Amino acid sequence: MSLMTFPGGRVVPATVLADLAVRHLTGTADPAAIRALAPRDRAQFRFWVEVLDWALTTKAVARSELWARRGGAGGPLDVVLSVTRMQALAQACVMARAAAPQSCGPEIAAAPARGAALRFQPVAMVPKGAEGFAAEPAGYRGRDAVRRADLFDKMDRAAQRRGQAAPFSPGQVLAGRSYAALAEFVSAGGVKCSSLEGRIGGGAGGLDWIERHAQAAARLARMQARIGPGAALSVRRVRPRNAPKRAARAPSRTGRWSMVSACRARAWAMCCWRMVGRRAGRTSTPCARRWRRRWKGCDFALDR
């Protein structure tokens, strides 16, 4: 593949992106050329910079395979990295990031579609004679397990970087994850496998799949009834729209979107800014106008 084509963007040769990525690592890249890239081309360029940094750190590639100096150490820099080699390094980087830690064992295969994952040690309560029960590791052969990271993990890491406590208690996180799993199961329809192989056989004594789906839908309806149709915080107080508030809150509860993404999806950025500015009492001050131009709304007040 010699060209990187994107809908709505410019056609940038892949050799140009690879050349810019290598020169960016050496500090000889043209900033004007990087700024002139289309948004998706810039994303591809940044990803390749991360790939090359990973390759040099892990010694998957030597510096001589990326660039060479003509006429000695002080000569001009020539990029010798080919697009084929760049794509091979990118694939190796993706597979290396998707690999499970060594403490999880070789049975957990690398899965790039899994996304960000965290390891944990399963724990089981075992009897300890007359003293009662005690928690002990219950992993297979003492190994760790892997679970997919969600929005709660992201917020927890952000709080740790700021030196603050976790924003939610373990019980609240467990309730949110249970709600997310239940909402995903109900939205998937609970449809049984429609292939011929999936219709053959079946155990007796269990619930039918439609009964299980009906029970899950009823439980989800009870949880939504307890949550209520209103918003915990009124987002817009001037010219209210008829957009459903639950649609904006559900992605955040299920761990798919952050509050900023949910507000952007409902075009609530400016109304959130007005609410925050009104509470701060400086909606029309020069400081407020400067922050409005910089952050284009209230994103800084929600996730920073």
Side-chain angles (χ1 to χ4, degrees):
M1 162 168 153
S2 59
L3 294 178
M4 304 295 294
T5 60
F6 301 103
R10 299 188 310 163
V11 178
V12 179
T15 54
V16 174
L17 294 178
D19 184 271
L20 283 177
V22 174
R23 293 185 181 276
H24 181 77
L25 290 179
T26 59
T28 59
D30 186 7
I34 298 177
R35 290 193 299 267
L37 293 176
R40 296 193 177 183
D41 294 339
R42 191 179 298 111
Q44 182 73 26
F45 159 75
R46 292 175 179 174
F47 171 66
W48 278 2
V49 170
E50 294 178 2
V51 169
L52 293 178
D53 184 69
W54 166 85
L56 291 174
T57 303
T58 59
K59 298 183 179 180
V61 65
R63 296 180 182 270
S64 59
E65 301 180 38
L66 302 182
W67 68 82
R69 294 281 185 177
R70 285 183 296 173
L77 184 141
D78 290 336
V79 177
V80 297
L81 178 66
S82 63
V83 177
T84 304
R85 179 60 172 164
M86 182 71 246
Q87 293 175 348
L89 291 175
Q91 183 178 5
C93 178
V94 170
M95 295 302 295
R97 290 180 177 180
Q102 296 182 356
S103 60
C104 298
E107 285 78 7
I108 301 179
R114 185 190 298 126
L118 298 175
R119 64 177 181 177
F120 71 98
Q121 178 61 251
V123 178
M125 301 299 293
V126 297
K128 285 294 183 180
E131 299 178 358
F133 294 84
E136 290 187 359
Y140 176 72
R141 295 184 178 179
R143 297 172 180 170
D144 294 337
V146 173
R147 65 171 180 84
R148 187 176 181 181
D150 53 12
L151 183 60
F152 295 105
D153 299 314
K154 181 179 179 180
M155 291 187 292
D156 192 11
R157 290 195 300 270
Q160 291 179 0
R161 287 195 299 266
R162 295 191 299 264
Q164 300 176 356
F168 300 103
S169 64
Q172 292 173 334
V173 173
L174 180 60
R177 287 171 177 168
S178 300
Y179 180 88
L182 190 62
E184 184 176 358
F185 175 78
V186 174
S187 62
V191 180
K192 190 178 180 181
C193 182
S194 59
S195 63
L196 181 61
E197 293 81 2
R199 295 176 180 269
I200 299 176
L207 292 176
D208 190 64
W209 66 272
I210 191 63
E211 296 179 1
R212 182 184 178 190
H213 181 268
Q215 292 180 357
R219 182 185 175 191
L220 180 62
R222 290 194 300 268
M223 294 179 67
Q224 291 178 347
R226 293 181 179 179
I227 295 173
L233 179 64
S234 180
V235 179
R236 189 180 182 97
R237 299 183 182 181
V238 181
R239 295 192 311 244
R241 296 183 179 181
N242 296 325
K245 296 181 178 62
R246 177 177 296 179
R249 291 190 305 153
S252 178
R253 286 199 304 263
T254 55
R256 295 176 182 270
W257 293 352
S258 63
M259 289 302 299
V260 175
S261 302
C263 287
R264 287 175 178 173
R266 300 298 167 186
W268 283 354
M270 286 307 299
C271 68
C272 290
W273 161 254
R274 292 172 184 172
M275 179 187 66
V276 174
R278 186 182 296 109
R279 289 192 173 185
R282 52 176 184 272
T283 305
S284 59
T285 60
C287 179
R289 290 195 295 268
R290 182 171 65 253
W291 281 104
R292 186 186 296 111
R293 288 194 301 268
R294 181 175 181 181
W295 299 111
K296 298 181 181 178
C298 66
D299 295 350
F300 76 96
L302 291 177
D303 65 342
R304 288 182 178 269

